[in-house]
Amino acid sequence: MGVRHALHTAAAHPDRVAAVAGFHGSRLATEDPHSPHNVVDRITAEVYLAHADADPGLPPEQIEQLDAAFTAAGTTFRTEVYPGADHGFTQSDTDVYDAGPTPATGPN
């Protein structure tokens, strides 16, 4: 939920948020009217997102939809997709931690 909250906060306070970063977010471009991809047009911050390609909560089509929304909004952003990485891959105290993934895509 951290990435969702960060994007919504940046959209709600564009005058106060200069940068947003998020790792292994999920459900970022859905049919839900509160989906983060629906508010990116209000974000003025620079955005960096690192996605896990083995995360069922953020399939490739959601990544594409989110990137398209950022592009259409003119947001400065960078997306990287880490192959073989699972949701939570940056958390060293979990079984899915991966210290060495290399992004397959990026920068935008």
Side-chain angles (χ1 to χ4, degrees):
M1 299 273 306
V3 176
R4 294 174 58 85
H5 290 306
L7 293 173
H8 279 287
T9 298
H13 303 284
D15 57 325
R16 296 173 59 189
V17 178
V20 174
F23 302 86
H24 46 78
S26 60
R27 300 184 40 79
L28 300 179
T30 68
E31 297 295 323
D32 181 339
H34 302 290
S35 175
H37 80 287
N38 291 324
V39 300
V40 300
D41 60 333
R42 298 193 302 255
I43 294 176
T44 58
E46 291 189 30
V47 178
Y48 171 79
L49 298 175
H51 304 300
D53 82 337
D55 188 345
L58 193 70
E61 42 294 342
Q62 281 191 36
I63 295 170
E64 292 168 12
Q65 187 174 3
L66 182 63
D67 285 356
F70 280 129
T71 299
T75 305
T76 301
F77 76 102
R78 179 177 176 160
T79 295
E80 294 181 328
V81 179
Y82 289 79
D86 292 312
H87 183 83
F89 74 96
T90 63
Q91 297 171 306
S92 62
D93 61 342
T94 68
D95 292 340
V96 296
Y97 176 65
D98 186 347
T102 302
T105 62
N108 296 43

